[in-house]
Amino acid sequence: MSIGIDLISFYTPAFFFSLDDLAKQRVVEAKKYTVGIGQKEMSILPPDEDVVTMGANAAYSLLEKVDKSRIKALIFATESSVDQSKSAGLFIHKLLDLPRHCRVIEMKQACYSGTFSLRAAMGLVSLDQESQALVITADVARYELHSAGEATQGCGAVALLVSSQPRLLQIDSESAYISEDVMDFWRPNYRSTAIVDGKYSTRVYLQALNECWQKYAELSKRLPENIHHFCFHLPFTRMAEKALKQLFRCKEDFQSRLRKMRPGLLYNETVGNSYTASLYLNLCSLLDFSEHNLAGQRIGLFSYGSGFVAEFFSGIIQNGYSQHLFNELHTRLLANRKRLSYAEYLEFYHYALPENGKTSHNPCFTQGRFRFAGVNAHKRLYEQTQHKMS
Ligand code: CAA
């Protein structure tokens, strides 16, 4: 049965903070961030956006190309939830005018839940092969100011349409996954920023990759050489180098794989970490920027969600895939972002909604089609803007 990713599109807000500027403020050599961590910029969330608006904006362009009545499920993956009870997907269901006969749910397990959502969507589509499922991954990576994690912030959303006979990536049947209770990164309910043991989290990530790869290799009988391109969860793009080093012990193979990865890193190095969306942003970047025709090539994908759950799986790029990409839209989105000054970065960082649910109106900043307008009687209010985006 052929099931996988039929379309992919992403969204990130129209504001970024440069890592060069952050380095100046933190009195750190810029190369530590741009080379050592591998990040150039990080997208910054304005006051009138959240995971709902980012997710709706990511899916909007994609939905213009499909028959929405076939979508029987919207699975929303995030660790930056806006409500303890209601799925953020329901706001998106309304904003995108999705069919009434469509299931909506929100998934959480740090950065991994997008991958579980993809697998769940594949399961639903396999039960009714005429149907499609929309998976939306959206997150805001926020750490304490002046912390080591600050340089690895960012935000964005990726929407995936899952169907039978997919036009982009047919997912292979083999996949390897593991779970373990560790405290490498977490965010208690009372905090707006994550707590992280940075070095430990990096070590656990690489151990999880190693273990998942061994299991995947055993199941599929494939070697790293049989995978044409790798995509990874990228908390920062230097992680790709660390991950490839695990898989390719020979220096020359490793170097050539690192060069091959470049197109896949372009979005992540300017958006920053987008948690659940990060792996799929890497995939989107590879598809949008690869100079070679990728049709028929096998992509290996490694998903890691702190805490932790990890999975390695793969898929084959489909013939004609390049006709179904949104690369021009994505390039425009990034090119039109505004560089924030340090004072503006702090202003956006500190913006907070009243915690008592009182009526509040958010100032207009977004350049996206959907906006988080404010709160009334504890209810979040969303609205369409005049911005076209596409
Ligand atoms: N030029 C070039 N490189 C330089 C440099 C310079 N001037 N100065 C330092 N570097 C290098 C260092 O040698 C180091 O390289 P290695 O990794 O090869 O050792 C690199 O830059 C980073 O320097 P430090 O290790 O000193 O950096 P740090 O301790 O300040 O923080 C971090 C790095 C731990 C990743 C931190 O940014 C962090 O905690 N980030 C958040 C947590 C995270 O992203 N964890 C990843 C795994 S968990 C996960 O994947 C889930 C998730 O999304 C959070």
Side-chain angles (χ1 to χ4, degrees), residues 28-38 79 110-111 141 143 147-153 184-186 194-206 233-236 238-239 241-242 245 273-276 278 304-307:
V28 165
E29 237 187 276
K31 280 197 171 156
K32 170 170 175 183
Y33 296 157
T34 55
V35 179
I37 286 177
E79 55 177 299
C111 310
Y143 297 90
S147 71
E150 185 180 17
T152 62
Q153 297 179 112
D184 60 333
F185 166 106
W186 67 104
I195 303 172
V196 61
D197 188 339
K199 296 268 185 338
Y200 174 57
S201 68
T202 307
R203 265 199 325 275
V204 179
Y205 174 115
L206 293 172
H233 165 60
L234 293 175
F236 47 92
R238 179 88 194 289
M239 191 55 117
E241 183 185 324
K242 294 176 191 286
K245 237 180 214 156
N273 198 351
S274 54
Y275 294 159
T276 50
S278 163
Y304 176 80
S306 287

